[in-house]
Amino acid sequence: MVVCAAWGGAVWISGHLHVDASLHTVALFAHLATLVLGFGAVLIADYYGLLWLTGRMSLMDALDGAGRLHTPIWAGLTGLVGSGILLHPDTSSTLTRAKLVMVLALSLNGLQAGLLNRRMAAARRPGEQPPRRFLAWGAGTALVSQVCWWGAVIIGFRNSQR
């Protein structure tokens, strides 16, 4: 509920806040920097999953590595939302609305990804495969994450061209 309320507040503030050109430039730089931080960490976490799937990393190491990336992922996502408020998004645009929904989905997906990581860590046994439900849950989490991150990046790029 807190994430949904914060998202709603950010959307509302972005529609009512107007910044000058210099602050807009700073916000754009912060937006790009936090994109690199958050999305970069997501890509690394997903890479750990691929390393595990191909047998090049143990499940324990992949879970531990992904678990350590939650802080930069959340810092990046928080920075994106905070700086995005200052970029005055056009909330009347269908594409912008789709991007905002993707950001909310990313946030909610991130919460349940942390839960999944904790449950998989608690259930792990050296040399054993995790239960299929955890594997399906993990695959769904990664898919939602990638679709939303890439979708938001593409929409953001497209909107910046206008």
Side-chain angles (χ1 to χ4, degrees):
M1 295 304 289
V2 172
V3 168
C4 291
W7 175 86
V11 171
W12 185 85
I13 291 169
S14 72
H16 293 84
L17 187 67
H18 298 284
V19 300
D20 64 13
S22 60
L23 185 54
H24 184 273
T25 301
V26 170
L28 181 58
F29 178 81
H31 206 67
L32 294 173
T34 55
L35 172 65
V36 170
L37 175 66
F39 193 27
V42 165
L43 292 173
I44 293 168
D46 288 348
Y47 180 65
Y48 288 156
L50 289 174
L51 289 176
W52 171 71
L53 284 172
T54 60
R56 297 173 54 205
M57 180 180 269
S58 73
L59 178 59
M60 288 183 188
D61 289 341
L63 291 173
D64 290 343
R68 284 189 292 276
L69 291 168
H70 284 273
T71 299
I73 292 169
W74 280 107
L77 187 55
T78 302
L80 282 164
V81 171
S83 60
I85 290 170
L86 300 174
L87 295 176
H88 193 65
D90 178 11
T91 54
S92 66
S93 163
T94 302
L95 277 178
T96 300
R97 288 179 183 175
K99 180 180 178 178
L100 293 172
V101 169
M102 287 178 192
V103 170
L104 178 60
L106 278 173
S107 302
L108 297 174
N109 192 52
L111 290 175
Q112 66 83 32
L115 176 64
L116 171 62
N117 190 285
R118 286 189 298 279
R119 287 191 179 172
M120 284 186 76
R124 67 184 174 192
R125 305 286 182 263
E128 281 186 27
Q129 288 280 37
R132 286 190 185 268
R133 73 179 189 279
F134 284 154
L135 295 178
W137 185 0
T141 297
L143 179 64
V144 168
S145 174
Q146 289 295 313
V147 166
C148 289
W149 276 101
W150 282 110
V153 166
I154 290 166
I155 291 170
F157 176 76
R158 188 161 187 281
N159 283 346
S160 74
Q161 302 299 302
R162 294 179 178 179

Short mmCIF file of all heavy atoms in Angstrom, two decimals, residues 58-109:
data_model
loop_
_atom_site.label_atom_id
_atom_site.label_comp_id
_atom_site.label_asym_id
_atom_site.label_seq_id
_atom_site.Cartn_x
_atom_site.Cartn_y
_atom_site.Cartn_z
N SER A 58 26.61 -21.58 -8.71
CA SER A 58 25.70 -22.32 -7.83
C SER A 58 24.47 -21.46 -7.52
O SER A 58 24.51 -20.23 -7.61
CB SER A 58 26.41 -22.68 -6.53
OG SER A 58 26.57 -21.54 -5.71
N LEU A 59 23.40 -22.14 -7.17
CA LEU A 59 22.17 -21.43 -6.82
C LEU A 59 22.42 -20.52 -5.61
O LEU A 59 21.95 -19.39 -5.58
CB LEU A 59 21.04 -22.41 -6.52
CG LEU A 59 19.71 -21.78 -6.10
CD1 LEU A 59 19.18 -20.84 -7.17
CD2 LEU A 59 18.70 -22.86 -5.77
N MET A 60 23.16 -21.00 -4.65
CA MET A 60 23.44 -20.19 -3.45
C MET A 60 24.17 -18.90 -3.83
O MET A 60 23.83 -17.83 -3.34
CB MET A 60 24.26 -21.00 -2.45
CG MET A 60 23.48 -22.08 -1.77
SD MET A 60 24.55 -22.88 -0.54
CE MET A 60 23.50 -24.22 -0.07
N ASP A 61 25.17 -19.02 -4.69
CA ASP A 61 25.90 -17.83 -5.11
C ASP A 61 25.02 -16.88 -5.91
O ASP A 61 25.09 -15.65 -5.75
CB ASP A 61 27.13 -18.22 -5.95
CG ASP A 61 28.22 -18.87 -5.12
OD1 ASP A 61 28.21 -18.71 -3.88
OD2 ASP A 61 29.09 -19.54 -5.72
N ALA A 62 24.16 -17.42 -6.77
CA ALA A 62 23.26 -16.57 -7.56
C ALA A 62 22.27 -15.84 -6.66
O ALA A 62 22.03 -14.64 -6.83
CB ALA A 62 22.52 -17.41 -8.60
N LEU A 63 21.70 -16.55 -5.68
CA LEU A 63 20.76 -15.92 -4.75
C LEU A 63 21.45 -14.88 -3.88
O LEU A 63 20.90 -13.79 -3.66
CB LEU A 63 20.09 -16.97 -3.87
CG LEU A 63 19.11 -17.90 -4.56
CD1 LEU A 63 18.65 -18.99 -3.60
CD2 LEU A 63 17.93 -17.15 -5.12
N ASP A 64 22.64 -15.20 -3.41
CA ASP A 64 23.37 -14.24 -2.59
C ASP A 64 23.72 -12.99 -3.38
O ASP A 64 23.57 -11.86 -2.90
CB ASP A 64 24.65 -14.87 -2.02
CG ASP A 64 24.37 -15.92 -0.96
OD1 ASP A 64 23.24 -15.95 -0.42
OD2 ASP A 64 25.28 -16.72 -0.67
N GLY A 65 24.18 -13.18 -4.61
CA GLY A 65 24.53 -12.04 -5.46
C GLY A 65 23.32 -11.19 -5.78
O GLY A 65 23.36 -9.96 -5.69
N ALA A 66 22.22 -11.83 -6.15
CA ALA A 66 20.99 -11.09 -6.46
C ALA A 66 20.47 -10.38 -5.22
O ALA A 66 20.00 -9.24 -5.31
CB ALA A 66 19.94 -12.04 -7.02
N GLY A 67 20.58 -11.01 -4.08
CA GLY A 67 20.13 -10.39 -2.83
C GLY A 67 20.90 -9.12 -2.50
O GLY A 67 20.32 -8.15 -2.01
N ARG A 68 22.19 -9.12 -2.80
CA ARG A 68 23.00 -7.93 -2.54
C ARG A 68 22.67 -6.79 -3.50
O ARG A 68 23.02 -5.64 -3.24
CB ARG A 68 24.49 -8.27 -2.62
CG ARG A 68 24.99 -9.02 -1.40
CD ARG A 68 26.50 -9.14 -1.41
NE ARG A 68 27.02 -10.00 -2.45
CZ ARG A 68 27.13 -11.32 -2.40
NH1 ARG A 68 26.76 -11.94 -1.31
NH2 ARG A 68 27.62 -12.00 -3.40
N LEU A 69 22.01 -7.09 -4.60
CA LEU A 69 21.70 -6.06 -5.59
C LEU A 69 20.38 -5.34 -5.32
O LEU A 69 20.06 -4.37 -6.01
CB LEU A 69 21.69 -6.68 -6.99
CG LEU A 69 23.06 -7.11 -7.50
CD1 LEU A 69 22.93 -7.97 -8.74
CD2 LEU A 69 23.93 -5.90 -7.77
N HIS A 70 19.63 -5.78 -4.34
CA HIS A 70 18.35 -5.12 -4.06
C HIS A 70 18.54 -3.64 -3.68
O HIS A 70 17.75 -2.80 -4.10
CB HIS A 70 17.56 -5.87 -2.98
CG HIS A 70 16.91 -7.11 -3.48
ND1 HIS A 70 15.67 -7.11 -4.06
CD2 HIS A 70 17.35 -8.38 -3.53
CE1 HIS A 70 15.36 -8.34 -4.44
NE2 HIS A 70 16.37 -9.13 -4.13
N THR A 71 19.59 -3.34 -2.94
CA THR A 71 19.81 -1.94 -2.54
C THR A 71 20.06 -1.03 -3.75
O THR A 71 19.39 0.00 -3.89
CB THR A 71 20.95 -1.84 -1.51
OG1 THR A 71 20.57 -2.59 -0.35
CG2 THR A 71 21.22 -0.39 -1.12
N PRO A 72 21.00 -1.36 -4.66
CA PRO A 72 21.16 -0.47 -5.81
C PRO A 72 19.95 -0.46 -6.74
O PRO A 72 19.66 0.57 -7.36
CB PRO A 72 22.42 -0.99 -6.53
CG PRO A 72 22.70 -2.32 -5.96
CD PRO A 72 22.05 -2.38 -4.62
N ILE A 73 19.22 -1.56 -6.82
CA ILE A 73 18.01 -1.57 -7.65
C ILE A 73 16.99 -0.59 -7.07
O ILE A 73 16.45 0.26 -7.79
CB ILE A 73 17.41 -2.99 -7.75
CG1 ILE A 73 18.33 -3.90 -8.57
CG2 ILE A 73 16.01 -2.94 -8.37
CD1 ILE A 73 17.97 -5.38 -8.50
N TRP A 74 16.74 -0.67 -5.77
CA TRP A 74 15.77 0.22 -5.15
C TRP A 74 16.26 1.67 -5.16
O TRP A 74 15.45 2.59 -5.34
CB TRP A 74 15.44 -0.23 -3.73
CG TRP A 74 14.44 -1.35 -3.74
CD1 TRP A 74 14.69 -2.67 -3.47
CD2 TRP A 74 13.06 -1.26 -4.05
NE1 TRP A 74 13.54 -3.40 -3.61
CE2 TRP A 74 12.52 -2.57 -3.96
CE3 TRP A 74 12.21 -0.22 -4.41
CZ2 TRP A 74 11.17 -2.85 -4.21
CZ3 TRP A 74 10.87 -0.50 -4.66
CH2 TRP A 74 10.37 -1.80 -4.55
N ALA A 75 17.56 1.88 -4.96
CA ALA A 75 18.10 3.24 -5.02
C ALA A 75 17.90 3.82 -6.42
O ALA A 75 17.50 4.99 -6.57
CB ALA A 75 19.58 3.24 -4.64
N GLY A 76 18.15 3.01 -7.43
CA GLY A 76 17.96 3.47 -8.80
C GLY A 76 16.50 3.77 -9.10
O GLY A 76 16.17 4.81 -9.68
N LEU A 77 15.61 2.88 -8.71
CA LEU A 77 14.19 3.09 -8.97
C LEU A 77 13.67 4.32 -8.21
O LEU A 77 12.92 5.13 -8.76
CB LEU A 77 13.39 1.84 -8.59
CG LEU A 77 11.92 1.83 -8.95
CD1 LEU A 77 11.69 2.08 -10.44
CD2 LEU A 77 11.29 0.51 -8.55
N THR A 78 14.10 4.48 -6.97
CA THR A 78 13.70 5.66 -6.19
C THR A 78 14.23 6.94 -6.84
O THR A 78 13.51 7.94 -6.94
CB THR A 78 14.22 5.53 -4.74
OG1 THR A 78 13.69 4.33 -4.17
CG2 THR A 78 13.81 6.73 -3.90
N GLY A 79 15.48 6.90 -7.28
CA GLY A 79 16.05 8.06 -7.96
C GLY A 79 15.33 8.38 -9.26
O GLY A 79 15.14 9.56 -9.61
N LEU A 80 14.93 7.35 -9.99
CA LEU A 80 14.17 7.57 -11.23
C LEU A 80 12.83 8.24 -10.96
O LEU A 80 12.44 9.17 -11.67
CB LEU A 80 13.95 6.23 -11.95
CG LEU A 80 15.15 5.70 -12.71
CD1 LEU A 80 14.95 4.23 -13.05
CD2 LEU A 80 15.39 6.51 -13.96
N VAL A 81 12.14 7.78 -9.94
CA VAL A 81 10.85 8.38 -9.61
C VAL A 81 11.04 9.82 -9.14
O VAL A 81 10.35 10.74 -9.59
CB VAL A 81 10.10 7.54 -8.55
CG1 VAL A 81 8.87 8.26 -8.03
CG2 VAL A 81 9.72 6.18 -9.13
N GLY A 82 12.01 10.02 -8.24
CA GLY A 82 12.26 11.37 -7.72
C GLY A 82 12.66 12.36 -8.80
O GLY A 82 12.13 13.48 -8.86
N SER A 83 13.56 11.95 -9.66
CA SER A 83 13.99 12.86 -10.74
C SER A 83 12.90 12.98 -11.80
O SER A 83 12.73 14.04 -12.40
CB SER A 83 15.29 12.37 -11.36
OG SER A 83 15.15 11.07 -11.91
N GLY A 84 12.14 11.92 -12.02
CA GLY A 84 11.06 11.95 -13.00
C GLY A 84 9.98 12.96 -12.65
O GLY A 84 9.37 13.57 -13.53
N ILE A 85 9.77 13.16 -11.35
CA ILE A 85 8.80 14.17 -10.91
C ILE A 85 9.18 15.54 -11.46
O ILE A 85 8.34 16.32 -11.88
CB ILE A 85 8.72 14.20 -9.36
CG1 ILE A 85 8.06 12.94 -8.83
CG2 ILE A 85 7.99 15.45 -8.87
CD1 ILE A 85 8.16 12.78 -7.32
N LEU A 86 10.49 15.82 -11.46
CA LEU A 86 10.98 17.14 -11.89
C LEU A 86 11.01 17.29 -13.40
O LEU A 86 11.23 18.39 -13.90
CB LEU A 86 12.37 17.38 -11.32
CG LEU A 86 12.47 17.35 -9.79
CD1 LEU A 86 13.93 17.47 -9.36
CD2 LEU A 86 11.63 18.45 -9.18
N LEU A 87 10.82 16.20 -14.13
CA LEU A 87 10.86 16.26 -15.60
C LEU A 87 9.50 16.59 -16.20
O LEU A 87 9.36 16.66 -17.42
CB LEU A 87 11.40 14.94 -16.17
CG LEU A 87 12.85 14.65 -15.80
CD1 LEU A 87 13.26 13.27 -16.32
CD2 LEU A 87 13.78 15.73 -16.32
N HIS A 88 8.51 16.78 -15.36
CA HIS A 88 7.15 17.16 -15.76
C HIS A 88 6.63 16.27 -16.90
O HIS A 88 6.44 16.72 -18.03
CB HIS A 88 7.10 18.64 -16.17
CG HIS A 88 5.70 19.15 -16.29
ND1 HIS A 88 4.83 19.23 -15.23
CD2 HIS A 88 5.00 19.60 -17.37
CE1 HIS A 88 3.69 19.71 -15.64
NE2 HIS A 88 3.75 19.93 -16.93
N PRO A 89 6.40 14.99 -16.60
CA PRO A 89 5.88 14.10 -17.64
C PRO A 89 4.48 14.50 -18.08
O PRO A 89 3.70 15.03 -17.28
CB PRO A 89 5.86 12.73 -16.94
CG PRO A 89 5.81 13.04 -15.49
CD PRO A 89 6.53 14.34 -15.31
N ASP A 90 4.19 14.27 -19.33
CA ASP A 90 2.88 14.59 -19.90
C ASP A 90 1.93 13.44 -19.57
O ASP A 90 1.83 12.46 -20.32
CB ASP A 90 3.00 14.78 -21.41
CG ASP A 90 1.67 15.05 -22.08
OD1 ASP A 90 0.67 15.31 -21.37
OD2 ASP A 90 1.63 15.00 -23.33
N THR A 91 1.23 13.57 -18.46
CA THR A 91 0.35 12.47 -18.01
C THR A 91 -0.91 12.33 -18.85
O THR A 91 -1.67 11.39 -18.65
CB THR A 91 -0.03 12.65 -16.53
OG1 THR A 91 -0.59 13.94 -16.33
CG2 THR A 91 1.19 12.48 -15.63
N SER A 92 -1.11 13.25 -19.81
CA SER A 92 -2.24 13.08 -20.72
C SER A 92 -1.88 12.15 -21.89
O SER A 92 -2.76 11.69 -22.61
CB SER A 92 -2.71 14.44 -21.26
OG SER A 92 -1.71 15.01 -22.08
N SER A 93 -0.60 11.86 -22.04
CA SER A 93 -0.12 10.99 -23.10
C SER A 93 -0.33 9.52 -22.72
O SER A 93 0.02 9.09 -21.62
CB SER A 93 1.37 11.25 -23.35
OG SER A 93 1.96 10.19 -24.06
N THR A 94 -0.85 8.75 -23.65
CA THR A 94 -1.07 7.31 -23.42
C THR A 94 0.26 6.60 -23.15
O THR A 94 0.33 5.74 -22.27
CB THR A 94 -1.79 6.68 -24.62
OG1 THR A 94 -3.03 7.37 -24.82
CG2 THR A 94 -2.05 5.21 -24.39
N LEU A 95 1.30 6.96 -23.90
CA LEU A 95 2.60 6.33 -23.69
C LEU A 95 3.15 6.63 -22.30
O LEU A 95 3.69 5.75 -21.63
CB LEU A 95 3.60 6.79 -24.75
CG LEU A 95 3.56 6.07 -26.08
CD1 LEU A 95 4.59 6.68 -27.05
CD2 LEU A 95 3.82 4.59 -25.92
N THR A 96 3.02 7.87 -21.87
CA THR A 96 3.50 8.23 -20.54
C THR A 96 2.72 7.49 -19.47
O THR A 96 3.30 7.00 -18.49
CB THR A 96 3.41 9.75 -20.33
OG1 THR A 96 4.22 10.40 -21.31
CG2 THR A 96 3.88 10.14 -18.94
N ARG A 97 1.43 7.37 -19.66
CA ARG A 97 0.62 6.60 -18.69
C ARG A 97 1.06 5.14 -18.65
O ARG A 97 1.13 4.54 -17.57
CB ARG A 97 -0.86 6.70 -19.04
CG ARG A 97 -1.45 8.05 -18.76
CD ARG A 97 -2.89 8.10 -19.15
NE ARG A 97 -3.43 9.43 -18.94
CZ ARG A 97 -4.64 9.79 -19.28
NH1 ARG A 97 -5.46 8.91 -19.84
NH2 ARG A 97 -5.05 11.01 -19.06
N ALA A 98 1.36 4.58 -19.81
CA ALA A 98 1.86 3.20 -19.85
C ALA A 98 3.18 3.09 -19.10
O ALA A 98 3.40 2.13 -18.35
CB ALA A 98 2.03 2.74 -21.30
N LYS A 99 4.05 4.07 -19.27
CA LYS A 99 5.34 4.07 -18.57
C LYS A 99 5.12 4.16 -17.06
O LYS A 99 5.77 3.45 -16.29
CB LYS A 99 6.21 5.23 -19.05
CG LYS A 99 7.55 5.29 -18.35
CD LYS A 99 8.39 6.45 -18.86
CE LYS A 99 9.71 6.52 -18.12
NZ LYS A 99 10.56 7.59 -18.61
N LEU A 100 4.21 5.01 -16.63
CA LEU A 100 3.93 5.15 -15.20
C LEU A 100 3.39 3.85 -14.62
O LEU A 100 3.75 3.46 -13.50
CB LEU A 100 2.95 6.31 -14.97
CG LEU A 100 3.50 7.70 -15.28
CD1 LEU A 100 2.39 8.74 -15.18
CD2 LEU A 100 4.66 8.06 -14.36
N VAL A 101 2.55 3.15 -15.36
CA VAL A 101 2.05 1.85 -14.90
C VAL A 101 3.20 0.84 -14.83
O VAL A 101 3.27 0.04 -13.89
CB VAL A 101 0.90 1.34 -15.82
CG1 VAL A 101 0.56 -0.11 -15.53
CG2 VAL A 101 -0.33 2.23 -15.65
N MET A 102 4.12 0.91 -15.79
CA MET A 102 5.28 0.01 -15.75
C MET A 102 6.14 0.29 -14.52
O MET A 102 6.66 -0.65 -13.90
CB MET A 102 6.12 0.17 -17.02
CG MET A 102 5.48 -0.43 -18.23
SD MET A 102 6.53 -0.15 -19.68
CE MET A 102 5.41 -0.62 -20.97
N VAL A 103 6.29 1.55 -14.14
CA VAL A 103 7.06 1.89 -12.95
C VAL A 103 6.38 1.33 -11.70
O VAL A 103 7.05 0.78 -10.81
CB VAL A 103 7.26 3.42 -12.85
CG1 VAL A 103 7.84 3.82 -11.50
CG2 VAL A 103 8.15 3.91 -13.99
N LEU A 104 5.07 1.45 -11.63
CA LEU A 104 4.35 0.86 -10.50
C LEU A 104 4.51 -0.66 -10.49
O LEU A 104 4.77 -1.26 -9.45
CB LEU A 104 2.87 1.24 -10.54
CG LEU A 104 1.99 0.64 -9.44
CD1 LEU A 104 2.48 1.07 -8.06
CD2 LEU A 104 0.54 1.04 -9.64
N ALA A 105 4.38 -1.28 -11.66
CA ALA A 105 4.55 -2.74 -11.75
C ALA A 105 5.96 -3.14 -11.34
O ALA A 105 6.14 -4.16 -10.64
CB ALA A 105 4.25 -3.21 -13.17
N LEU A 106 6.97 -2.36 -11.73
CA LEU A 106 8.35 -2.64 -11.32
C LEU A 106 8.48 -2.60 -9.80
O LEU A 106 9.15 -3.45 -9.21
CB LEU A 106 9.31 -1.61 -11.92
CG LEU A 106 9.77 -1.80 -13.32
CD1 LEU A 106 10.57 -0.60 -13.79
CD2 LEU A 106 10.60 -3.06 -13.45
N SER A 107 7.87 -1.61 -9.21
CA SER A 107 7.95 -1.46 -7.76
C SER A 107 7.32 -2.64 -7.04
O SER A 107 7.90 -3.21 -6.12
CB SER A 107 7.28 -0.16 -7.33
OG SER A 107 7.88 0.95 -7.96
N LEU A 108 6.13 -3.01 -7.47
CA LEU A 108 5.44 -4.14 -6.85
C LEU A 108 6.17 -5.45 -7.13
O LEU A 108 6.28 -6.32 -6.26
CB LEU A 108 3.99 -4.20 -7.33
CG LEU A 108 3.14 -2.98 -6.94
CD1 LEU A 108 1.76 -3.06 -7.59
CD2 LEU A 108 3.04 -2.83 -5.43
N ASN A 109 6.69 -5.59 -8.35
CA ASN A 109 7.47 -6.77 -8.70
C ASN A 109 8.74 -6.86 -7.85
O ASN A 109 9.15 -7.94 -7.44
CB ASN A 109 7.82 -6.74 -10.20
CG ASN A 109 8.35 -8.05 -10.70
OD1 ASN A 109 7.75 -9.10 -10.51
ND2 ASN A 109 9.49 -7.99 -11.37
#
